[in-house]
């Protein structure tokens, strides 16, 4: 049996090592002395090898570490392990069955309390109230430890490497939900199946009745205080149970839903791929089955003509009416006159030199309309085979309908 | 009674930028463009109202992406979206077989090695769509243009907007399941009418 004072002192002296050992004990329940020495070296690198050996001997002799019989391995003292885990919030998730057993224990303790009141036995009443207090304390501690264990579970699941298979990562979450949260929820159900609240309420009523009985009978102050404390703890435990259950559900439920969503999505994708293999992509996904987007189109927002009428109304604008002239009858187009271009050019060649091409054309071909004559004139003056000399003074030439003021083009042989 | 709603345009400094983004068919992702997302989130109602008045439906998903909903599209877009759906299904099936959690697709790094594995895995399906290994890279480029992915670390990374495809996959399968159940129920109801006819024949 280890000396408690020396155990606690060793814990104080080698806290860092013990904390590491407690964390490692989750994966490795027993250690080789070499492993412990390496851990001591890691936590206190300044120590020499002899000093590390001395630390190990100190941990063994104080009872913090225990040698396994028939083996060289050492393990942590279970009390030390439990104590350090409690302080460092490194608990394992407790069994819901243990919680249920403790809750059921309230039933027998309450029965003892009621019997004590009926029989008028204050000593029995004191024992029953101590028993109830101890049960409330244990249940409260377990609820708190389990809450932290579940939160750590969720944090590890979320933070774990994405390369780890999802089934492996979420296995503990699903297990915790199925084996802890659901039984706990059933136990704390407010319906006929729930036992937590009815038992606590029964205990609370019995304790309050005991308080009134002690007041009427007269009893020691310490006894009355103890019973009063137990009644208060019962009420607090009701609230704590509700809060812990809600927090555990809120922590684990999203992760469970994530896993379910993963499974549902995975099976949907496999099913659709199977359809694509059989029917083709276009037949599997019809128009509108998938996200669509529109190719970029430049858009302009402009004001419509309606705003003009709004502006006119705003400014009391009255448009001025104008009468447009009547439509004049269409002028009949003159018939095109055919001109023998070759004969005309031969005649011109025979007539050069000339002082005015326009006058010659009008004299030689008086039958030509003014438009035709002017067209021929402009054609001829642009032909390169003729030489032209434009006069310095203008002349007026009277055609049939128009009078042309021009600088005559004289024609000479090129 | 018509309620008059005031639009405070001075509170929408990124209006032009957001409209240009959404009108181009792109998705806005919180992780890719946090500043724009913060602006949109801060004045979500105003933006939705304004765009609705202009004839657009702005959809904002709580998982961190937003887009303009279009119910019709051209032939090119329809083909691209189907091909992208095929690529995503092959990718997600590959990752599911690896045991990876599908909801964490934004953590995946898609590189040429992975694309080659997908090309091998879905060789027949991709060949039917005329998609080669190079075409898969181009397809991811188009996905980046529309805000479904981004270039990262020499490869690509999917963005939360991909949830639109995943939601569509689940809805489609669910609809097919419901249709199959209805058909099954109809067939059972139809078979009840057969028996009286056979009884009449027997009586005759």
């Amino acid at each position: 049996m280890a000396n408690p004072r020396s155990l606690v002192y060793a814990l104080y002296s080698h806290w860092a090592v013990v904390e590491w050992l407690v964390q490692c004990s989750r994966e490795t329940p027993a250690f080789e002395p070499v492993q412990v020495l390496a851990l001591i070296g890691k936590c206190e690198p300044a120590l020499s090898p002899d000093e590390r050996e001395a630390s190990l001997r100190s941990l063994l002799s104080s009872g913090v570490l225990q040698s396994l019989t028939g083996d060289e391995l050492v393990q942590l003292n279970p009390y030390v392990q439990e104590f350090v885990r409690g302080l460092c919030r490194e608990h394992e998730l407790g069994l819901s069955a243990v919680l249920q057993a403790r809750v059921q224990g309230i039933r027998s303790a309450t029965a003892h309390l009621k019997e004590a009141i009926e029989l008028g036995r204050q000593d029995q009443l004191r024992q029953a109230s101590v028993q109830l207090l101890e049960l409330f304390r244990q249940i409260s501690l377990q609820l708190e430890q389990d809450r932290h264990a579940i939160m750590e579970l969720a944090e590890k699941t979320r933070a774990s490497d994405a390369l780890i298979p999802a089934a492996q990562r979420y296995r503990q979450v699903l297990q915790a939900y199925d084996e802890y949260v659901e039984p706990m929820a059933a136990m704390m159900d407010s319906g006929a199946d729930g036992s937590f609240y009815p038992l606590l309420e029964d205990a609370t009523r019995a304790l309050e009745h005991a308080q009134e009985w002690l007041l009427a009978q007269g009893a020691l102050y310490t006894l009355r205080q103890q019973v009063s404390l137990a009644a208060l703890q019962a009420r607090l435990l009701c609230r704590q149970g509700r809060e812990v259950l809600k927090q555990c559900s809120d922590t684990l439920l999203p992760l469970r839903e994530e896993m379910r969503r993963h499974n549902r999505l995975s099976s949907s994708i496999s099913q659709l791929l199977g359809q694509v293999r059989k029917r083709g992509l276009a037949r599997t996904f019809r128009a509108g089955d998938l996200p669509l987007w529109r190719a970029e189109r430049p858009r302009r927002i402009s004001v419509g003509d309606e705003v003009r009428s709004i502006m006119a109304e705003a400014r009391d604008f009255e448009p001025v009416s104008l009468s447009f002239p009547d439509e004049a009858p269409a002028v009949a187009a003159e018939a095109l006159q055919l001109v023998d271009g070759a004969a005309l050019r031969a005649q011109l060649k025979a007539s050069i030199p000339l002082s005015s091409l326009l006058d010659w054309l009008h004299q030689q071909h008086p039958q030509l309309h003014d438009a035709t004559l002017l067209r021929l004139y402009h054609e001829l003056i642009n032909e390169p085979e003729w030489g032209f000399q434009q006069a310095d003074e203008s002349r007026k030439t009277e055609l049939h309908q128009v009078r042309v003021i021009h600088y005559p083009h004289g024609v000479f042989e090129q | 009674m018509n309620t008059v709603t005031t639009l405070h345009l001075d509170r929408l400094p990124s209006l032009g930028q957001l409209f240009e983004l959404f009108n181009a068919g792109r998705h806005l992702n919180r992780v890719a463009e946090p500043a724009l997302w913060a602006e949109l989130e801060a004045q979500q109602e105003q933006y939705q109202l304004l765009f609705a008045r202009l004839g657009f439906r702005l959809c904002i998903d709580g998982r961190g992406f937003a887009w303009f909903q279009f119910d019709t599209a051209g032939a090119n877009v329809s083909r691209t979206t189907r091909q992208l759906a095929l690529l995503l299904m092959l990718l997600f099936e590959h990752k599911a077989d690896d045991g990876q959690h599908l909801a964490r697709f934004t953590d995946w790094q898609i590189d040429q090695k992975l694309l080659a594995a997908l090309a091998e895995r879905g060789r027949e399906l991709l060949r039917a769509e005329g998609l080669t290994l190079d075409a898969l890279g181009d397809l991811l480029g188009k996905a980046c243009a529309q805000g479904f992915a981004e270039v990262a670390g020499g490869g690509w990374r999917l963005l939360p907007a991909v949830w639109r495809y995943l939601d569509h996959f689940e809805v489609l399968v669910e609809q097919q399941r419901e249709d199959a159940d209805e058909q099954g129920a109809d067939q059972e109801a139809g078979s009840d009418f057969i028996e009286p006819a056979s009884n009449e024949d027997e009586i005759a």
Side-chain angles (χ1 to χ4, degrees):
Chain A
M1 180 68 186
N3 185 321
R5 289 182 67 151
S6 54
L7 188 147
V8 170
Y9 184 74
L11 201 59
Y12 161 75
S13 306
H14 305 282
W15 174 258
V17 175
V18 173
E19 198 178 352
W20 265 109
L21 284 170
V22 165
Q23 282 185 21
C24 296
S25 66
R26 278 196 158 174
E27 307 292 328
T28 318
F31 306 94
E32 288 179 11
V34 175
Q35 287 175 306
V36 179
L37 285 170
L39 203 56
I40 293 171
K42 190 175 164 185
C43 294
E44 295 169 48
L47 293 180
S48 66
D50 287 338
E51 284 169 339
R52 291 177 199 179
E53 296 246 356
S55 296
L56 175 59
R57 282 197 297 273
S58 164
L59 286 170
L60 279 167
S61 61
S62 63
V64 172
L65 290 176
Q66 295 170 337
S67 297
L68 292 176
T69 47
D71 209 334
E72 285 184 3
L73 297 176
V74 297
Q75 67 175 15
L76 275 166
N77 186 320
Y79 295 116
V80 169
Q81 190 175 33
E82 199 56 39
F83 177 61
V84 173
R85 276 187 180 167
L87 292 178
C88 299
R89 307 269 192 229
E90 288 280 344
H91 324 99
E92 293 286 339
L93 185 60
L95 294 171
S96 63
V98 171
L99 192 64
Q100 283 172 356
R102 286 184 172 143
V103 168
Q104 290 301 323
I106 295 174
R107 189 201 302 275
S108 60
T110 309
H112 270 137
L113 188 75
K114 286 178 182 173
E115 190 189 331
I117 296 170
E118 274 176 33
L119 298 175
R121 294 177 185 169
Q122 288 194 4
D123 194 49
Q124 186 176 338
L125 192 147
R126 185 182 54 78
Q127 284 175 0
S129 64
V130 165
Q131 195 179 357
L132 279 171
L133 264 173
E134 181 59 23
L135 282 168
F136 295 156
R137 190 190 65 79
Q138 286 173 354
I139 293 169
S140 173
L141 186 64
Q142 186 174 349
L143 285 174
E144 196 58 26
Q145 287 175 351
D146 292 343
R147 183 169 70 88
H148 283 285
I150 281 178
M151 282 165 67
E152 190 182 337
L153 194 70
E155 282 158 15
K156 277 189 180 165
T157 302
R158 284 194 205 101
S160 56
D161 192 356
L163 294 173
I164 298 173
Q168 187 179 330
R169 265 191 293 123
Y170 284 84
R171 182 176 44 84
Q172 284 188 321
V173 166
L174 297 175
Q175 206 172 347
Y177 195 90
D178 292 338
E179 293 176 7
Y180 185 84
V181 176
E182 280 193 347
M184 209 168 119
M187 187 179 64
M188 293 188 181
D189 185 21
S190 52
D193 295 333
S195 57
F196 186 73
Y197 295 115
L199 287 175
L200 275 179
E201 280 167 12
D202 192 32
T204 309
R205 275 195 299 274
L207 286 163
E208 285 168 357
H209 181 47
Q211 273 181 295
E212 288 163 7
W213 182 75
L214 288 172
L215 202 61
Q217 289 289 110
L220 291 175
Y221 172 75
T222 49
L223 180 57
R224 284 189 281 124
Q225 192 184 40
Q226 189 177 296
V227 171
S228 170
L229 183 63
L232 176 66
Q233 289 294 334
R235 285 191 287 274
L236 289 176
L237 192 57
C238 270
R239 195 169 64 201
Q240 185 187 8
R242 209 174 292 127
E243 283 170 4
V244 168
L245 176 63
K246 184 175 180 316
Q247 197 165 6
C248 290
S249 295
D250 291 349
T251 303
L252 291 184
L253 204 56
L255 292 173
R256 194 172 86 137
E257 282 310 305
E258 254 185 51
M259 193 61 196
R260 283 185 170 177
R261 180 87 201 265
H262 163 89
N263 290 335
R264 201 167 55 233
L265 186 58
S266 176
S267 70
S268 299
I269 287 173
S270 295
Q271 193 171 332
L272 285 172
L273 270 175
Q275 288 177 18
V276 171
R277 286 187 182 101
K278 288 178 199 164
R279 293 155 47 178
L281 194 58
R283 287 183 62 197
T284 303
F285 294 115
R286 297 163 300 184
D289 280 345
L290 293 170
L292 294 172
W293 55 88
R294 203 181 285 172
E296 186 166 6
R297 291 180 191 171
R299 290 202 175 242
R300 282 186 197 159
I301 298 175
S302 59
V303 178
D305 286 339
E306 292 82 9
V307 81
R308 292 172 189 262
S309 39
I310 295 171
M311 285 166 66
E313 281 175 33
R315 302 187 69 156
D316 294 328
F317 172 74
E318 285 187 14
V320 174
S321 62
L322 292 173
S323 55
F324 284 96
D326 294 330
E327 189 177 346
V331 176
E334 291 181 15
L336 283 175
Q337 287 183 294
L338 294 174
V339 176
D340 187 351
L344 176 69
R345 281 164 180 78
Q347 187 186 6
L348 178 59
K349 194 172 179 183
S351 304
I352 54 176
L354 299 170
S355 62
S356 172
L357 175 63
L358 185 63
D359 291 308
W360 179 84
L361 281 171
H362 182 53
Q363 283 163 13
Q364 295 297 318
H365 301 278
Q367 77 283 4
L368 294 177
H369 298 147
D370 291 349
T372 309
L373 193 127
L374 287 169
R375 179 178 61 78
L376 285 170
Y377 172 73
H378 282 289
E379 276 180 18
L380 289 168
I381 63 172
N382 284 313
E383 287 177 6
E385 61 189 285
W386 313 106
F388 292 98
Q389 179 77 34
Q390 203 164 10
D392 293 330
E393 291 179 6
S394 64
R395 183 194 288 190
K396 289 181 191 173
T397 303
E398 301 268 350
L399 300 180
H400 296 299
Q401 289 180 331
V402 301
R403 183 189 307 128
V404 182
I405 303 169
H406 63 113
Y407 292 87
H409 279 84
V411 188
F412 57 90
E413 194 157 353
Q414 190 79 316
Chain B
M1 189 174 93
N2 291 329
T3 51
V4 176
T5 312
T6 309
L7 281 170
H8 301 277
L9 293 179
D10 55 327
R11 295 183 197 166
L12 312 178
S14 301
L15 176 60
Q17 205 175 345
L18 282 169
F19 179 73
E20 197 181 323
L21 186 148
F22 291 131
N23 190 41
R26 289 190 60 202
H27 292 71
L28 175 67
N29 289 272
R30 176 172 47 207
V31 293
E33 285 155 298
L36 265 184
W37 178 266
E39 296 250 3
L40 177 68
E41 221 175 16
Q43 299 292 337
Q44 181 175 331
E45 279 182 21
Q46 291 273 297
Y47 278 114
Q48 278 180 313
L49 183 63
L50 174 59
F51 290 137
R53 295 276 172 87
L54 292 173
F56 298 96
R57 188 152 54 110
L58 173 64
C59 298
I60 302 177
D61 192 292
R63 288 169 290 194
F65 56 96
W67 73 99
F68 270 178
Q69 177 70 29
F70 296 114
D71 295 326
T72 55
N76 280 344
V77 171
S78 297
R79 185 174 61 247
T80 305
T81 193
R82 278 202 294 270
Q83 288 176 346
L84 190 54
L86 177 60
L87 175 60
L88 288 172
M89 286 195 296
L90 287 171
L91 174 64
F92 276 73
E93 191 186 53
H94 178 80
K95 290 291 187 181
D97 289 347
D98 260 356
Q100 305 235 5
H101 196 277
L102 300 184
R104 297 202 185 178
F105 61 82
T106 51
D107 296 338
W108 302 341
Q109 178 71 17
I110 303 170
D111 51 18
Q112 287 296 336
K113 191 176 156 193
L114 178 55
L115 285 185
L118 294 180
E120 181 57 34
R121 185 189 189 96
R123 191 176 39 205
E124 298 298 327
L125 295 176
L126 293 172
R127 195 191 303 166
E129 291 300 312
L131 288 170
T132 59
L133 182 55
D134 292 335
L136 291 183
D138 294 339
L139 193 54
L140 278 170
K142 286 179 191 172
C144 291
Q146 299 312 128
F148 289 113
E150 62 177 357
V151 173
W156 300 270
R157 202 179 292 274
L158 296 178
L159 291 173
V162 165
W163 276 113
R164 286 192 69 195
Y165 279 95
L166 304 182
D167 293 344
H168 274 270
F169 295 155
E170 286 185 319
V171 164
L172 195 57
V173 167
E174 190 57 37
Q175 273 174 0
Q176 288 173 356
R177 203 169 288 143
E178 283 171 11
D179 291 344
D181 289 343
E182 274 179 21
Q183 260 187 345
D186 287 343
Q187 278 177 358
E188 280 180 16
S191 66
D192 291 341
F193 288 99
I194 295 171
E195 286 178 15
S198 65
N199 288 336
E200 286 172 9
D201 286 340
E202 282 176 9
I203 292 169

